[in-house]
Amino acid sequence: MEPLRSWAMERPGPMFMDQQGMLWILQKAGDKGSAHVLRFRPDGTRLGQEIVLVPDIVPTDICIDRRNRLLISDRGPAQRIHIYDDIDSAPRLAGTFGVEHGIFSEPAGRVGARRFNDPAGVGTDTNDNIYAASSGSSARDAGGGGGSTVLES
C-alpha cells in the first residue's frame, strides 16, 4: 500500500466513500463552531454538498447505507444516530434512530433497545440493518473504567 493522494483539511475525522466514489469527511468542530460533513472528489476537490451540524451534536462516525442515506453517530446530548437523505444534491435531515438522550432519557440509567450510551460508531449491512457501537465508559469521562463497547443492531 502506498499513498495515492493527499490534501490539507482542518480537523478531519472519519470518512466514508459513497456509491459514486466520492468521499464524505467529518470535519470536527473548532473552538467556536459546529462540526461539518463535507463531500470531496478523490483528488481533493471539494463538492457543494455539506451538512452543518447544530452545536449540540458531537459526531463520532459516519457511514452511507444502501439507500444512499448518510448516518452520523452522535455522542452529544441526543445520544442517537442522525439520518440524512438527498445527499447527492441537497442533504437534509430525514430522521433519527435511537431513543432521544439514550441511556440518559427517563428513567435515567435504564439500559434497553436503542438507548445508546456514547455512540462511537455507526454502520449498516446489506439488509439495511443499522449497527451502533456505544462506549459507555469513554475516555472523556474522568477516571472512567474504559475498555467497554456495546454493539447493537
Side-chain angles (χ1 to χ4, degrees):
M1 289 180 41
E2 62 183 67
L4 296 177
R5 291 173 193 83
S6 66
W7 66 87
M9 180 179 173
E10 291 184 31
R11 303 177 313 279
M15 66 178 76
F16 200 90
M17 184 176 286
D18 66 22
Q19 296 167 1
Q20 291 76 37
M22 304 300 151
L23 292 172
W24 288 85
I25 303 176
L26 172 61
Q27 184 179 43
K28 298 174 186 173
D31 292 339
K32 295 181 181 178
S34 299
H36 297 238
V37 182
L38 308 169
R39 192 177 191 205
F40 294 87
R41 294 186 189 281
D43 66 4
T45 303
R46 185 168 164 203
L47 298 170
Q49 295 81 10
E50 175 178 8
I51 299 170
V52 179
L53 302 173
V54 297
D56 282 351
I57 293 178
V58 181
T60 54
D61 197 18
I62 60 174
C63 77
I64 298 172
D65 68 10
R66 288 178 2 127
R67 296 189 289 179
N68 207 35
R69 302 178 307 166
L70 190 136
L71 288 72
I72 302 171
S73 55
D74 174 15
R75 74 166 18 147
Q79 297 282 305
R80 58 186 358 180
I81 308 298
H82 304 277
I83 303 170
Y84 289 82
D85 271 336
D86 301 325
I87 65 172
D88 290 332
S89 54
R92 63 175 179 80
L93 182 64
T96 59
F97 180 74
V99 174
E100 186 174 6
H101 307 301
I103 198 168
F104 304 107
S105 63
E106 293 299 323
R110 176 181 285 171
V111 297
R114 297 177 303 277
R115 291 175 64 98
F116 302 131
N117 186 9
D118 271 350
V122 63
T124 62
D125 64 19
T126 57
N127 294 320
D128 288 327
N129 294 307
I130 296 174
Y131 292 82
S134 293
S135 175
S137 54
S138 68
R140 71 184 175 127
D141 297 328
S148 67
T149 300
V150 174
L151 182 63
E152 293 183 76
S153 170

